[in-house]
Amino acid sequence: MAEVMQDLGIQEILAQFGIEEINNGASLGSKWLKTRGERIDSYSPVDGKLIASVNSATEVDYEAAVLKATEAFKVWRTVPSPKRGDIVRQLADRLRFHKDSLGKLVSYEMGKSLQEGLGEVQEMIDICDFAVGLSRQLYGLTMHSERPGHRMYEQYHPIGIVGIISAFNFPVAVWNWNTALAWICGDVCIWKPSEKTPLTAIACQHITNEVFAANDIPEGVSCVLIGGAELGKLMAEDKRVPLVSATGSTRMGKSVGAAVGARLGSSLLELGGNNAIIMAPSCDLKMVIPGAVFGAVGTAGQRCTSTRRLIVHEDIYDKVLESMAKAYGQLRIGNPLDENNHVGPLIDTDAVQMYLDSLEQAVAQGGKLIVAGGVLSGEGYESGCYVKPAIVAAENHYAVVQHETFAPILYVMKYSGGVENAIKIQNGVPQGLSSAIMTNNLKEAELFLSCVGSDCGISNVNIGTSGAEIGGAFGGEKETGGGRESGSDAWKVYMRRQTNTINYSDSLPLAQGIKFEL
């Protein structure tokens, strides 16, 4: 194992982030607790090798983190926002310095391509840059009062502890989507990363500690707790955590949302997607086929914005199937750290079984395999996590199509008549994250983006369903959860709004003209 890892340079990367010495899964800033929880082994889906092991955090460790974060918040909230922004700027600089190493570790521990691993770190840099500018733009409004000699305005204050529950598929970027904004808003953060990707979380905390220590930032502004669902449950039920941001399955999100709602807390939910591309007769196939292929097979279909359904007009249906099958025949599947490969592994063998079960269900429910899938074995595929991307001709009402399958399975279906019929199919699933239409018809494009068009939080014209930019708010509707992260005014969820009225007159007029004389 050591020889293989040495060839990949992973050992040096682990040492760079202090992972060789730190095997405990709870950090209160730079202080790592001696955790006593269940041992978590991180195996790479790339080659099946054990990378490192971590002791998970316990309820005692969780309590220590909350207490430390609570104390840190009392100090951090008083630091002027532009000063907090400068700390985030320094974090962006350190991420630039560590980009290659962190991107490689993301690729090796999670299994996405090296290009995507590096791209994920770039997303972290981009959201930090966005947050730095935002730190001087946390604007409220000034309103005219109906009472003379009065002024009204609103302002935003830090909310407190932000609990972050993230998923394996974007093991570092989603954390930073939250922290970059929360920190400039004056909040402190406690992060429970996916137990499937603990080492990238340790690496991020290591980088953060470098910056915070150099600026004498209080311990507890950034905490990490590595472990299972029980930690997320503690966070969701804890009244001391006013906001919980959770990314993952709809099932998980419903549980978190119910627990947080029961105590009247706030939740930011980024849940499942069942994203579709509509291909209208006027679309340029030379442009849209590559976009559809990348959307379906990128990250081995393990993006929440992965393209899962292709809704094709009957006039071009056969041609699209032929072009897609030809493109799939050119895909190279293998080690994601080899930039010549297009598709890497699924996260683990459980995900492989889910993929196989979904293909079996699709055929049993009436689907026809256009590009057959299957598990790859032999040299280079020893981990058992590599599968062939599959295409299935299906109907939208199939039970398996109505669910999100986190794997490279693309369901292709036909529509006839106007684009209204395609939009009805597109909207006919419980999820509402990302959507796209490929058309050169202006009327079709505008209808798709109108209030009677796509019901998704992200709706694109002539680009695919994945690859959102950080400048826009990211999130979806229906069973996707309704949360918004990243750009636009997503920062407001991390703060509490306060309306203020100032009376600078010599009298005190009462509301609704009430007279009260003493």
Side-chain angles (χ1 to χ4, degrees), residues 281-295:
S282 65
C283 72
D284 182 351
L285 293 183
K286 290 182 180 179
M287 179 179 76
V288 303
I289 292 296
V293 172
F294 172 75

Side-chain angles (χ1 to χ4, degrees), residues 36-50:
R36 301 284 195 276
E38 180 182 351
R39 194 75 168 165
I40 295 176
D41 295 324
S42 179
Y43 290 92
S44 170
V46 175
D47 54 20
K49 304 296 185 181
L50 176 65

Side-chain angles (χ1 to χ4, degrees), residues 183-197:
W183 285 333
I184 64 103
C185 289
D187 300 323
V188 297
C189 298
I190 300 176
W191 179 25
K192 192 207 88 64
S194 170
E195 59 270 34
K196 296 182 179 182
T197 52

Side-chain angles (χ1 to χ4, degrees), residues 487-509:
S488 186
D489 64 349
W491 61 272
K492 291 181 179 179
V493 75
Y494 302 95
M495 306 197 84
R496 57 182 178 89
R497 185 191 305 217
Q498 185 181 81
T499 300
N500 308 114
T501 304
I502 299 172
N503 178 4
Y504 58 91
S505 72
D506 294 326
S507 62
L508 181 59

Side-chain angles (χ1 to χ4, degrees), residues 53-108:
S53 300
V54 179
N55 290 327
S56 61
T58 64
E59 186 171 353
V60 172
D61 302 319
Y62 172 83
E63 185 65 22
V66 171
L67 292 177
K68 180 63 71 173
T70 299
E71 289 302 310
F73 176 61
K74 296 175 183 178
V75 177
W76 183 243
R77 65 184 174 182
T78 65
V79 176
S81 181
K83 297 290 186 183
R84 299 192 295 253
D86 186 61
I87 304 301
V88 174
R89 178 194 63 77
Q90 294 176 50
L91 177 61
D93 289 343
R94 295 310 296 165
L95 287 169
R96 287 183 175 92
F97 178 81
H98 290 293
K99 179 178 177 179
D100 289 345
S101 295
L102 184 57
K104 195 170 187 178
L105 183 58
V106 167
S107 180
Y108 187 62

Side-chain angles (χ1 to χ4, degrees), residues 126-168:
D126 292 343
I127 193 62
C128 285
D129 287 349
F130 178 88
V132 172
L134 190 63
S135 67
R136 294 180 180 271
Q137 301 178 72
L138 301 178
Y139 299 137
L141 298 173
T142 299
M143 290 77 72
H144 289 279
S145 173
E146 64 185 33
R147 292 168 285 190
H150 287 61
R151 180 169 68 87
M152 293 178 64
Y153 72 98
E154 66 178 21
Q155 59 181 329
Y156 290 85
H157 295 300
I159 198 171
I161 298 175
V162 176
I164 303 168
I165 302 171
S166 63
F168 74 86

